[in-house]
Amino acid sequence: MQYWLMKSEPDLFSIDDLKNRPKQTEHWDGVRNFQARNFMRAMRAGDRAFFYHSSCAEPGVAGIIEIAREAYPDFTSWDPKSPYYDARSKPEKPYWYMVDVRFERKLKRLVPLTELRQNRALKTMRLLARGNRLSIMPVSANEWKTILEMAQAR
DNA sequence: GCCAACGTTGGC
DNA sequence: GCCAACGTTGGC
């Protein structure tokens, strides 16, 4: 099983929003970056991901989600009314992809970005790399474990 | 709202 | 294929 981190702006879509969806499942649309798209295509059903809250008062890791369906074409990409519309993408030749995610649980507390930065065990974590803006990225087993432990502390 | 950092685009 | 210009991300 692989581990991932997926960013979302909680004002638009938070972990509680996912929790309140029917079947606690939702598709992860709107990814318009090649690296992030390629990571999504590498995801397998059953993989776990951290749900990360970004661009908000307290950015950080909020909870755990499961990959419920592997990558399939992001249909918002050929919908002219969607803010994620991209003329290069057609139903017969999709350009962008999405996965379905299922709510697993919230962490006991949100682990804020400031704490992640202070933890020496996470020194090489991709999320914390200078200038990183990827919205989807892999997480190592050690990083995963470290962050789970941080959520239990305090 | 600012701005650093980065990805993408497009002229050449 | 280079690289300047532009747009976007996301923390602060």
Side-chain angles (χ1 to χ4, degrees):
Chain A
M1 183 177 61
Q2 309 171 94
Y3 298 110
W4 306 95
L5 181 142
M6 303 173 79
K7 295 183 187 174
S8 181
E9 300 186 23
D11 295 341
L12 300 175
F13 185 65
S14 72
I15 187 137
D16 287 318
D17 293 329
L18 177 61
K19 187 181 179 183
N20 293 328
R21 284 291 197 271
K23 296 184 184 172
Q24 301 191 320
T25 299
E26 187 56 278
H27 54 267
W28 199 275
D29 61 14
V31 172
R32 295 294 178 268
N33 169 282
F34 290 111
Q35 263 186 292
R37 182 198 70 177
N38 293 342
F39 283 137
M40 273 201 302
R41 296 180 76 168
M43 291 176 175
R44 293 296 163 251
D47 283 358
R48 297 291 150 81
F50 284 133
F51 194 117
Y52 179 89
H53 284 176
S54 69
S55 293
C56 58
E58 193 168 37
V61 177
I64 298 174
I65 56 183
E66 180 187 358
I67 306 307
R69 181 180 170 187
E70 297 179 8
Y72 61 103
D74 181 342
F75 47 77
T76 66
S77 67
W78 54 72
D79 175 5
K81 292 193 291 293
S82 167
Y84 302 125
Y85 177 69
D86 184 339
R88 294 173 296 186
S89 186
K90 304 280 174 199
E92 61 276 14
K93 197 167 184 267
Y95 204 81
W96 299 112
Y97 285 77
M98 58 187 173
V99 295
D100 288 353
V101 299
R102 184 184 304 123
F103 175 83
E104 183 171 312
R105 66 180 170 92
K106 289 171 76 168
L107 296 185
K108 192 171 160 193
R109 67 185 184 97
L110 182 133
V111 181
L113 176 63
T114 51
E115 278 185 47
L116 298 178
R117 287 200 190 286
Q118 286 164 15
N119 193 326
R120 307 189 64 166
L122 300 176
K123 205 125 191 129
T124 59
M125 191 177 179
R126 195 158 184 157
L127 175 74
L128 309 179
R130 178 187 157 92
N132 171 69
R133 296 183 321 180
L134 265 184
S135 63
I136 294 178
M137 68 195 84
V139 170
S140 77
N142 279 336
E143 292 160 356
W144 184 268
K145 185 163 158 265
T146 299
I147 292 171
L148 289 186
E149 285 166 3
M150 292 172 79
Q152 292 301 321
R154 227 181 41 179

